[in-house]
Amino acid sequence: MLNKLNSFLDKYYISPIVNDTGYNIVNTFSWAIIFIFAIILLKKYFEKQNQIIDKKFLFALIPYICFGAVLRVLNELNVYSTILLITPLIYFLVFFICFGLLIISNILEQKTKIDYWKIWFSFGLFLLGLAFIKIFLFFKNYKILFVWLGILCFFLILILLLKYVLKSKFFSNINIATLMSHLTDATSSFLAISFFGFTEKHVLSRGLINYAESLNLVFYNSGAWIMFPLKLIVVGMCLHIIDNENLTKKDRFYLKIIIIILGLAPGIRGLFQLIVFT
């Protein structure tokens, strides 16, 4: 019985982390439960501490998202060789760094009268700067950055045109930012899989890409294009539900920040993978 348990844990949890082989149905479901539980606990903590969740909070958070993404690629480059920098453990590491510095920033705000988000942002920017200096030494494919930005600009223009034509409240600034954060992930995945032979590690995305290819719905011999409509539809539906639920403005913003993190983190990581590995 114990051997079966050890074998199960090794197959679905330990081996995918140690060997960095990606996700499977079992660990995806498990990490999702832990993630949801963490979101609930964090929300309760913020409410207890009267933590302000607004655009300034999101702005100050962005360097930490990028820092985690760059740190992950540095691990793949063997600059830092530790299991803590492999997904999903890196999420826990970056969270504790980010959360710890948020607490320190709130304390410093009381002592210095400087807005907490400015202090928190400065800490994050410093960490990102250190990581960027390291990864800059490995830059090879600068051109892919402009291709990546070009695709994102195309979708941003498309979304802004829809906003102008439809005049819908759905296209608020935060909703557009949320959609664009996930389009960074879709763009990175599309370029990496279609043109450079990368593989998708997430179970659902990999399944949809394989399904598209089985139907011969391919673009540049790949079904990775499906990531664009997938992201727009799924994220769009989530935003629609959040906007129409009986939630406070703060709760809506909090949930949208979570969704942004889930898109922007892998999107930025994918971009740096393209720059240093292709």
Side-chain angles (χ1 to χ4, degrees):
M1 183 69 179
L2 187 59
N3 288 335
K4 288 184 178 180
L5 177 61
N6 288 335
S7 177
F8 176 83
L9 292 174
D10 180 70
K11 179 179 179 180
Y12 291 105
Y13 295 98
I14 299 173
S15 181
I17 293 175
V18 173
N19 299 315
D20 195 18
T21 54
Y23 296 91
N24 52 65
I25 293 292
V26 176
N27 66 19
T28 296
F29 183 71
S30 302
W31 302 138
I33 292 175
I34 294 173
F35 184 70
I36 292 170
F37 187 64
I39 290 172
I40 295 171
L41 286 180
L42 191 60
K43 179 178 178 295
K44 290 184 179 297
Y45 173 82
F46 283 156
E47 289 174 347
K48 185 177 180 180
Q49 298 297 320
N50 294 317
Q51 178 66 56
I52 299 172
I53 307 294
D54 57 7
K55 293 178 181 178
K56 293 176 181 177
F57 181 94
L58 175 59
F59 176 75
L61 179 63
I62 289 175
Y64 295 94
I65 299 173
C66 297
F67 168 67
V70 174
L71 207 58
R72 180 69 180 92
V73 179
L74 285 172
N75 173 258
E76 293 172 331
L77 289 165
N78 292 318
V79 175
Y80 302 117
S81 297
T82 170
I83 195 173
L84 292 176
L85 297 183
I86 295 176
T87 308
L89 298 184
I90 189 172
Y91 287 111
F92 294 100
L93 176 64
V94 175
F95 167 77
F96 285 120
I97 293 173
C98 180
F99 185 63
L101 290 175
L102 173 61
I103 294 174
I104 292 172
S105 298
N106 280 320
I107 294 172
L108 290 175
E109 179 184 48
Q110 297 174 4
K111 295 182 178 295
T112 64
K113 305 304 178 183
I114 300 174
D115 293 337
Y116 86 92
W117 67 269
K118 294 179 181 178
I119 301 172
W120 194 35
F121 174 80
S122 299
F123 280 138
L125 197 62
F126 175 73
L127 291 174
L128 177 59
L130 292 178
F132 185 81
I133 290 171
K134 287 278 188 179
I135 202 168
F136 182 74
L137 300 174
F138 296 90
F139 274 25
K140 291 193 296 186
N141 190 352
Y142 295 92
K143 294 180 180 178
I144 199 67
L145 172 62
F146 298 102
V147 177
W148 189 83
L149 289 173
I151 294 173
L152 287 177
C153 285
F154 167 78
F155 279 103
L156 178 59
I157 292 171
L158 181 63
I159 291 171
L160 292 176
L161 283 173
L162 286 173
K163 177 182 180 180
Y164 176 77
V165 172
L166 299 177
K167 301 187 185 303
S168 170
K169 292 181 180 180
F170 173 81
F171 293 103
S172 62
N173 290 339
I174 184 62
N175 281 3
I176 292 175
T178 307
L179 287 170
M180 291 304 301
S181 71
H182 277 265
L183 286 172
T184 64
D185 185 26
T187 301
S188 295
S189 296
F190 168 71
L191 291 173
I193 296 170
S194 299
F195 299 97
F196 299 103
F198 284 59
T199 56
E200 176 60 49
K201 290 186 176 182
H202 294 89
V203 176
L204 295 177
S205 301
R206 184 169 65 241
L208 284 170
I209 291 171
N210 291 339
Y211 183 67
E213 291 175 351
S214 71
L215 297 176
N216 203 31
L217 298 174
V218 297
F219 182 77
Y220 277 92
N221 299 315
S222 169
W225 64 269
I226 203 169
M227 293 296 291
F228 293 110
L230 173 66
K231 290 286 188 178
L232 288 171
I233 293 171
V234 173
V235 176
M237 288 176 61
C238 289
L239 292 173
H240 177 75
I241 292 170
I242 291 171
D243 285 340
N244 288 278
E245 282 294 313
N246 186 24
L247 300 170
T248 65
K249 183 178 180 181
K250 182 177 179 180
D251 286 344
R252 288 195 183 98
F253 205 89
Y254 175 72
L255 290 174
K256 290 174 184 180
I257 287 178
I258 299 300
I259 297 174
I260 287 173
I261 294 171
L262 292 174
L264 190 59
I268 297 298
R269 175 197 172 189
L271 170 62
F272 279 100
Q273 284 177 320
L274 288 167
I275 293 174
V276 302
F277 289 123
T278 65

